[in-house]
Structure formats: C-alpha cells, structure tokens
Amino acid sequence: MRIIGCDLHAAQQTIAMLDRDTGEIVERTLSHEGTTVRDFYTNLPPPIVVGIEATGSMRWFLRLMEELGVTCRVGDPAKIRQVETRRQKHDRRDAALLLQLLSEDRFPAIWMPPAELCELRELVRHRDQWVRLRTRVKNALQGLALAHGLRRRAGLWTQRGQATMAALPLAPYASDRRSALQALHEHLTTPIDALDQRVGEQARTRPQARRLMTHPGVGPVTALATEVFVGDPSRFADAKALASYVGLIPSEYSSGDRQRLGKLTKQGNPMLRCLWCEAAIHAVRRDAALGRFYRRKLQQKGLGKARVAVARKLGIRLWILLRDQIDYAEFCRRAPSPATAR
C-alpha cells in the first residue's frame, strides 16, 4: 500500500510517498503539463491513498483520482496548519506533513459533495454572481437619480421609472453614464431571468428542495442553495454545528470566568447567509412563531441583530426539514406549543 501526501498547486504538485511494504519514502515534484500527473499515478500499483489540502483548483485532480480508482482524501487547511508548530513552510514540508497525518491516521478529512451537488452549486453561484453585478448597476443608477432629485425607490425599476430616469436633463458625461448603466441593467436582466427559470426547474424536480419550499418565505433559490450547500444533514451533530458551519455564531474571546462575545465569525458560505437573511424578512410576515421571535429580538437587540437571529433560526428550521424528511406542516404539528416552535 502506498500513502501519498500531495501539496497541490495550480501548476505543479509536490508529493511525499510512503511504501508501507518496504518503508521507503520518495519525494518528487510533478508538473501539471501534459500527461505527467496521469502517467505517474497510473503506473503506481494499487492500493493508493492520496491526501491533499482543500483548494479552489482541486476539482480536476479529484476527477482524475476518481477516474483512476485512487482514494483521495481532502483535508481542512486550517486544522492541518495547526499541527505544524515550526515557522518554516515550503512545499516539501507541507507534503511531508500531509503524509505524516495520513500514516498516523490523524488526517482531518472534510466532507466532499457528490458530483451532482457540485454541478448545482455552480448553477447557484453563477446566478449569484450575475445578481451581484446587477445590484451594483442598480445602486449606481439609484445614486445618480438621487443626486438629481429623482426619488422613486423600488419604482425606479418599473418601465415608467426608467422612462423618467432617461428623461432627466443631465450634463454630457452624466448622461453617457446613465445611458450605459441603463443598457447594462437591461443586458443583465435577461440572463438572470433565464437563470432564475433554471434554478426554479431544478428546485421543483428535487424532493428536498420542494420540501424546503413549503416553509413560508423560502423560494426556489433559497431552497436549492440550502440543499446543495448543506449537503448531507446528518453530518451536523446539532443546530449549533450547523450555525457554526454557516458562520452565524458570535466570535468568542473567553478565558477563566470571563466570557467575551464579539461579532459574527462569518466563517462559512456568505451566499447562504445572505439568502437566509433575505428569506427571513419574508418568513417573519408569514410565520407567527418567527414573527413573535423577531419582534422580541427587535426590542432587545435592534434591527440588524434581530434579522440575523431570525436568519439563524430559519436556517436551523430548514436543516430540520432536511434531516427529518418532513415538510413545514409536519414541522408545525410536532411543535407542542408556541414556545417550542420558537
């Protein structure tokens, strides 16, 4: 059996390979040009276990390992870095550290989504990027309108509002900017509508997403994003683990008898946090228990903290729906009292 610690980069990888039958350790650097990597792993006799750190450019390598039948484990970079106490860091040391963790059965492996969820994640991310671009354009147009005395708020995006915006008497440079922004806004709206349709189709064909959409205030985008980014709900021990995974818990600096809580850690998926916050605004108007909770936190903590608290509670509810395979009606039926529903 061969165990390989692989320090993966975009252009090359440094490996430290242990042959458990002979005890031999081999260190080598492989270029990603051509078929060098494929030829190297193909010529190794099985079984093989490879360990890498999670990185954004690892998808091709994971697909290659799956194709070759090689077991590949992906580790948490933060936990791997905590093991190394020395301040020396280079590729050979990183590969040797990965090999050591694998051989000692201390490798901090993380859960990896299947290929289907990865593809759906790309769809949701693609839509989110286009929406963010359009939001920047809309903010620029809204600022331009306010600077010239036009206050329409949401009415600025209607046909009448856009016609009023186009009729504003502006200086030449401001007029050119307005025309370019309006054209860009129209150009971005068409693909976003198409992406919304594709997301809706995917959400309606997936049982888990349909189950999430039974909750008031949760639409196709939030439902599909929750399903694909949460993944297997059983991997979270409790609701606190889910909130920590998404980053909806306060940072903490405590010692002894003193507890110091700070701002949100935000160590998680920012898009999922944003979607839960947006859905929470609609959910508090349609769900009595969430509405009571929101009004209570609004008086205690203020607007911002109240919205985040409701978003966390909504996310935990959606996780419960996924974990227990139930819909919103069954969730409400299981709640014996309003206090439990909160």
Side-chain angles (χ1 to χ4, degrees):
M1 180 179 182
R2 286 169 172 78
I3 302 176
I4 300 177
C6 177
D7 185 39
L8 187 69
H9 294 272
Q12 66 180 25
Q13 59 181 266
T14 301
I15 64 170
M17 180 173 63
L18 168 65
D19 189 338
R20 278 195 162 174
D21 297 332
T22 63
E24 180 185 7
I25 296 179
V26 176
E27 294 182 347
R28 184 173 174 181
T29 299
L30 302 176
S31 173
H32 292 169
E33 296 292 334
T35 61
T36 305
V37 177
R38 176 183 290 272
D39 294 341
F40 173 79
Y41 287 99
T42 302
N43 295 329
L44 291 178
I48 307 169
V49 177
V50 179
I52 64 173
E53 289 186 8
T55 178
S57 58
M58 66 181 178
R59 290 295 173 189
W60 70 272
F61 186 74
L62 296 179
R63 288 194 297 268
L64 176 62
M65 295 296 100
E66 184 179 2
E67 179 184 344
L68 298 179
V70 177
T71 302
C72 187
R73 300 178 183 175
V74 181
D76 186 347
K79 293 182 180 179
I80 292 174
R81 208 54 233 156
Q82 288 176 352
V83 179
E84 181 57 76
T85 57
R86 300 187 64 178
R87 294 190 177 183
Q88 290 179 319
K89 183 185 183 306
H90 50 78
D91 294 348
R92 288 185 290 106
R93 287 190 63 88
D94 291 343
L97 176 61
L98 294 172
L99 175 61
Q100 177 185 351
L101 295 176
L102 283 170
S103 60
E104 296 176 357
D105 200 18
R106 295 190 297 127
F107 190 77
I110 62 175
W111 178 82
M112 292 298 297
E116 181 185 11
L117 292 188
C118 290
E119 185 66 16
L120 291 174
R121 285 184 175 188
E122 292 299 322
L123 173 62
V124 177
R125 287 195 185 102
H126 183 43
R127 179 199 172 273
D128 179 69
Q129 290 174 347
W130 280 84
V131 170
R132 289 180 182 273
L133 289 174
R134 187 176 64 176
T135 300
R136 294 186 63 180
V137 173
K138 293 174 73 172
N139 289 341
L141 277 172
Q142 194 71 260
L144 189 62
L146 292 173
H148 293 82
L150 181 61
R151 294 171 177 83
R152 289 293 183 87
R153 297 186 179 180
L156 185 63
W157 314 118
T158 62
Q159 290 184 354
R160 184 177 179 180
Q162 286 294 292
T164 305
M165 180 71 185
L168 280 177
L170 302 178
Y173 289 145
S175 178
D176 293 342
R177 182 179 178 224
R178 173 190 59 191
S179 301
L181 289 173
Q182 285 186 312
L184 184 57
H185 179 265
E186 293 180 2
H187 177 72
L188 292 173
T189 300
T190 302
I192 290 175
D193 292 341
L195 288 171
D196 285 340
Q197 183 178 357
R198 294 180 63 182
V199 169
E201 292 174 354
Q202 289 291 338
R204 286 187 292 271
T205 57
R206 301 182 65 82
Q208 290 285 59
R210 289 201 309 268
R211 187 175 288 114
L212 296 181
M213 284 192 291
T214 61
H215 194 290
V218 177
V221 177
T222 303
L224 186 62
T226 301
E227 179 192 356
V228 300
F229 285 110
V230 171
D232 183 9
S234 61
R235 64 193 181 103
F236 299 105
D238 50 27
K240 291 183 179 179
L242 172 73
S244 177
Y245 174 76
V246 181
L248 287 174
I249 60 172
S251 56
E252 185 174 359
Y253 304 91
S254 301
S255 179
D257 297 333
R258 296 198 62 180
Q259 185 182 40
R260 301 177 181 88
L261 300 179
K263 298 181 179 180
L264 290 182
T265 61
K266 296 185 178 180
Q267 289 182 322
N269 191 306
M271 182 175 63
L272 195 56
R273 286 197 305 271
C274 180
L275 289 175
W276 283 1
C277 289
E278 291 179 353
I281 298 174
H282 301 281
V284 296
R285 303 169 184 168
R286 298 171 173 85
D287 184 271
L290 280 181
R292 289 192 297 268
F293 176 80
Y294 174 69
R295 289 189 292 271
R296 185 169 67 253
K297 292 300 178 182
L298 191 62
Q299 295 177 351
Q300 296 173 352
K301 302 292 186 179
L303 180 61
K305 293 182 179 179
R307 286 186 174 180
V308 172
V310 174
R312 169 174 168 156
K313 186 169 287 290
L314 175 63
I316 292 173
R317 282 187 172 195
L318 298 181
W319 170 70
I320 293 175
L321 299 185
L322 293 175
R323 182 196 63 184
D324 297 345
Q325 302 284 311
I326 60 176
D327 58 8
Y328 174 72
E330 177 64 18
F331 174 83
C332 294
R333 191 189 66 80
R334 292 185 181 184
S337 65
T340 307
R342 289 198 298 268

